[in-house]
Amino acid sequence: MRTSAALGLLLLLCHVSAEPQADALKARAASLVGDIMTFLQTQMQEQGTKLQDEIDGLKKHNSDNQVAFSASLVTTGENTFGPYGEHTTLVFKNVKTNIGNAYNHETGVFTAPVKGAYQFLWFIGAHGSDDDTGVILVKNAEITFMAHERQADGYASSSQGISLLLEAGDTVLLQVFKGDRVFDSHHHLTSFSGNLLFPM
């Protein structure tokens, strides 16, 4: 009888002493779960920010790699440009396409947004006269190719094309050759086009 009473008393004491330990363990577990959740949320936010930065970078890269323009000299009517006393930059005002906005219709200058291989085409027209019809493509300050024609009467035309390796920031433009002339009308006979073939 005394043994049973002693055993019961011992169990009661163990139960009483175990309750604070259980509560402490529960509190510690809850704290650990909270720490883990905070860590995971921080990691997810950091990964989300990193992923968004990568997406934004890819969008900008793709945007820079989409370059194409096409324009003619006049928007309405007709006009003859030249002859001039020096090579004179032609400003192609009638812009039909300018993907990437690399061509400036106020200055006539194309500026490469990225390093790559670019292709340029130009078509020129003029009424026949004693003056030549000649237009040169200038890369930075260097004359590259020329489209040229001369005939005494009727309508004269010529065309030319070139592929160039450009660094980002290089400029390309067309100039009517010194002493020559070029003609354009609402039929858009004189035009300038270019596009990025591939980045490098």
Side-chain angles (χ1 to χ4, degrees):
M1 188 70 167
R2 287 180 182 175
T3 302
S4 296
L7 185 58
L9 183 59
L10 181 61
L11 289 173
L12 180 61
L13 289 173
C14 287
H15 178 71
V16 170
S17 64
E19 282 185 356
Q21 290 179 355
D23 290 341
L25 286 173
K26 287 179 183 178
R28 180 66 181 146
S31 176
L32 286 173
V33 169
D35 291 343
I36 291 170
M37 293 298 293
T38 300
F39 174 78
L40 291 175
Q41 287 174 349
T42 301
Q43 289 297 306
M44 289 176 66
Q45 289 174 350
E46 289 176 356
Q47 291 298 319
T49 300
K50 183 179 178 182
L51 183 59
Q52 187 60 52
D53 289 344
E54 290 177 357
I55 290 171
D56 292 342
L58 287 171
K59 284 181 179 178
K60 184 180 186 308
H61 177 75
N62 288 336
S63 176
D64 287 344
N65 291 341
Q66 295 175 352
V67 181
F69 78 95
S70 188
S72 63
L73 276 176
V74 299
T75 55
T76 59
E78 58 184 48
N79 198 3
T80 296
F81 301 82
Y84 303 112
E86 60 184 16
H87 302 335
T88 301
T89 300
L90 293 169
V91 180
F92 292 78
K93 295 285 190 181
N94 186 41
V95 179
K96 293 299 184 182
T97 305
N98 196 11
I99 300 168
N101 294 314
Y103 174 74
N104 187 328
H105 70 280
E106 297 294 334
T107 63
V109 177
F110 172 87
T111 304
V114 295
K115 180 179 180 179
Y118 293 80
Q119 182 180 56
F120 298 94
L121 303 170
W122 61 107
F123 300 83
I124 61 172
H127 293 299
S129 71
D130 291 333
D131 295 318
D132 289 1
T133 300
V135 173
I136 52 177
L137 185 135
V138 179
K139 171 191 171 185
N140 297 325
E142 173 192 359
I143 296 174
T144 58
F145 283 10
M146 178 180 190
H148 178 267
E149 179 62 72
R150 181 175 187 176
Q151 63 185 52
D153 55 21
Y155 178 76
S157 66
S158 183
S159 62
Q160 185 63 278
I162 187 173
S163 295
L164 293 173
L165 173 60
L166 300 180
E167 300 288 338
D170 281 351
T171 59
V172 174
L173 54 87
L174 290 181
Q175 293 183 331
V176 60
F177 202 80
K178 174 183 177 180
D180 291 358
R181 67 175 65 201
V182 64
F183 170 80
D184 195 24
S185 73
H186 62 282
H187 293 298
H188 312 303
L189 304 166
T190 299
S191 64
F192 182 30
S193 300
N195 63 282
L196 173 63
L197 296 174
F198 50 86
M200 297 181 66

